[in-house]
Amino acid sequence: MIFRPKYISFDCYGTLTNFRMREVATEIYASQLPAERLTLFIKDFAAYRLDEVMGDWKPYDQVLKSAVARTCKRHGVAFREEDGRKFYDAVPTWGPHADVPQALTRVGREIPLVILSNAMNEQIHSNVSKLEAPFHKVYTAQDAGAYKPRLAAFEYMLDQLGCSPLDILHVSSSPRYDLMPAHDLGIKNKVFVNRGHEPRANEAYSFAEIPDIGGLPALVGL
């Protein structure tokens, strides 16, 4: 696959930024749950976060608090409001995966880079600055009024860029949040960054696969 798109759009958290919800959950709940239960707690917390973003938009701190509260209820752990806030406050402090800045900067010199993220505006710019790469545009769920995997989030990005789904190369480490809805919306060119935190998508969703962002320049002929 060598495709020179008009824009390359990215998921941010997990794909570019090291998404560290597991570490925060471990810090808060490791003293309250045995190791095997903690592993299941973290898995369920991820599932509830996905469920929380499937409806009408609401601020991300509410998404996280509700997801944590539901996970705590499921596992018989006391939920504290301040613990829910810890997850939200941690997000802007996270930096990139080590493979990101150099490769992304190389690509960004030639092709406009765009982020579409399930974030609040007050969070995302701290994370983006840590990527040390040039971005043409950064769009959030707050801007779009919808979280991925809802198609409205992708439609907002395409409308803002004034381009067709065929003009985009979309890059993500998440089949469920990104590659599957991007496919449904007609974004033909997709890249799965296989960081191991989600199962590999079905081949029917048609994507190129790389282990990290270091593999991206070759896919666009750089």
Side-chain angles (χ1 to χ4, degrees), residues 86-183:
K86 285 180 183 178
F87 288 97
Y88 184 83
D89 290 342
V91 173
T93 70
W94 297 336
H97 292 286
D99 53 271
V100 169
Q102 184 176 356
L104 208 57
T105 297
R106 181 180 175 189
V107 175
R109 292 192 187 109
E110 304 293 332
I111 304 170
L113 309 179
V114 177
I115 280 178
L116 179 63
S117 177
N118 279 0
M120 298 287 286
N121 293 327
E122 67 179 8
Q123 297 176 306
I124 190 71
H125 297 292
S126 174
N127 302 108
V128 172
S129 69
K130 294 178 180 66
L131 300 177
E132 301 176 8
F135 279 90
H136 173 66
K137 294 291 181 182
V138 176
Y139 301 122
T140 66
Q142 184 177 7
D143 295 328
Y147 289 98
K148 299 177 297 180
R150 296 196 62 193
L151 298 185
F154 291 90
E155 289 172 327
Y156 175 84
M157 176 181 70
L158 293 173
D159 287 346
Q160 293 300 306
L161 294 173
C163 68
S164 157
L166 298 178
D167 295 327
I168 292 280
L169 175 64
H170 191 67
V171 182
S172 178
S173 62
S174 174
R176 293 187 77 179
Y177 279 92
D178 284 86
L179 300 183
M180 295 165 70
H183 173 87

Side-chain angles (χ1 to χ4, degrees), residues 193-214:
V193 185
N194 192 352
R195 296 201 182 275
H197 55 247
E198 281 193 28
R200 192 173 187 273
N202 188 291
E203 295 289 349
Y205 289 99
S206 65
F207 52 86
E209 182 174 339
I210 54 178
D212 56 50
I213 298 299

